[in-house]
Amino acid sequence: ADFSEDNPATNDIIVRCGDRHIVVSSSDLFNQQLDTSTYSYRITSSRAEEAITSAMVNVISDTQIQVSLLTGYGESGYDAFVELLRKNNYNVITQNIVTEEIDPESKVVIVFAPAYDYDEEAVQKLGAFLENGNQMGKSLFYVANFEQPDTPNLNTLLEEWALQVGDGIVFETDNNNLAVVNNPYYGLSEYYSG
C-alpha cells in the first residue's frame, strides 16, 4: 500500500485494517521532558500501549462519531483537544460558521474559545443545528475564552440550552498539586477509586 500522502517518518508505525489506516508517530509513543541543562528531551515514560491500542480501535471500529469544530471568530488553542478526540475515534471536521452551514452528519459541535461574539446569522445556524428539525439529538461542547469580551449573542443562545458562563477563574491553592512550580493555573488532579 502507498502511504506517501501521510508522509511517515522513520520509526513511525502504520496501523491498518482494510481501507483505514493511522500513522502513529514515534513521538506519540513516549512522554518526554525537556532537560534544561542539556536542552534536549529525555523520555520519562512510555505511552506505546495507549497509542497503538487507540490506533487499532480507530481502524477496526465500524463507526466514528463526526464532530464539527466551528471557526470564524478568532478561535485558537484547540489543537491538543482535537488530537485527543481523533485518538479516541472521533472524526473531527473544521467548519467556518461564517461561510458554511454546519454539517448535519455531525453529532457534536464544538465552539472552542471564540475571541469575539457570534453575529445573529452564526447564532441562528448554531441554534438550528442543535434543534435538528425538532428532533434534537445533537450536542454542544462550549469552551469560553478567558480573554473574550462580552458575548451577549452567544450567551443568549447558551442560556436557551441551559448553559451559563460566569466570571471567574479556577486555580490550585495547594503547592503540592501544581504541575508547574509557582503557577497556580496548572493544577494536577487526583483520581480516587473506591
Side-chain angles (χ1 to χ4, degrees), residues 148-167:
Q148 78 188 25
D150 288 336
T151 54
N153 295 334
L154 198 49
N155 288 347
T156 299
L157 176 74
L158 293 173
E159 288 171 8
E160 289 175 17
W161 293 91
L163 297 172
Q164 185 176 9
V165 178
D167 292 332

Side-chain angles (χ1 to χ4, degrees), residues 165-182:
V165 178
D167 292 332
I169 192 162
V170 175
F171 60 94
E172 178 59 62
T173 59
D174 183 346
N175 286 334
N176 294 319
N177 293 326
L178 296 180
V180 178
V181 178
N182 294 325

Side-chain angles (χ1 to χ4, degrees), residues 46-89:
S46 174
R47 294 188 332 215
E49 181 179 1
E50 172 194 351
I52 294 171
T53 301
S54 175
M56 289 170 44
V57 167
N58 276 299
V59 297
I60 65 173
S61 178
D62 289 337
T63 59
Q64 272 190 313
I65 296 174
Q66 181 170 296
V67 176
S68 288
L69 173 70
L70 301 182
T71 62
Y73 287 89
E75 297 81 1
S76 64
Y78 51 76
D79 293 338
F81 183 65
V82 168
E83 181 181 341
L84 177 67
L85 289 172
R86 288 189 171 134
K87 285 182 178 179
N88 286 282
N89 201 29

Side-chain angles (χ1 to χ4, degrees), residues 97-168:
I97 193 165
V98 175
T99 60
E100 300 175 64
E101 295 297 322
I102 301 171
D103 189 334
E105 295 298 313
S106 291
K107 302 290 184 207
V108 179
V109 69
I110 300 170
V111 176
F112 199 98
Y116 46 93
D117 199 10
Y118 275 29
D119 64 20
E120 288 293 327
E121 185 178 349
V123 167
Q124 289 174 356
K125 286 180 185 179
L126 183 54
F129 171 82
L130 293 170
E131 288 173 8
N132 191 26
N134 292 326
Q135 298 297 310
M136 304 306 176
K138 303 288 185 174
S139 297
L140 167 67
F141 187 90
Y142 178 73
V143 177
N145 181 336
F146 70 93
E147 295 179 322
Q148 78 188 25
D150 288 336
T151 54
N153 295 334
L154 198 49
N155 288 347
T156 299
L157 176 74
L158 293 173
E159 288 171 8
E160 289 175 17
W161 293 91
L163 297 172
Q164 185 176 9
V165 178
D167 292 332

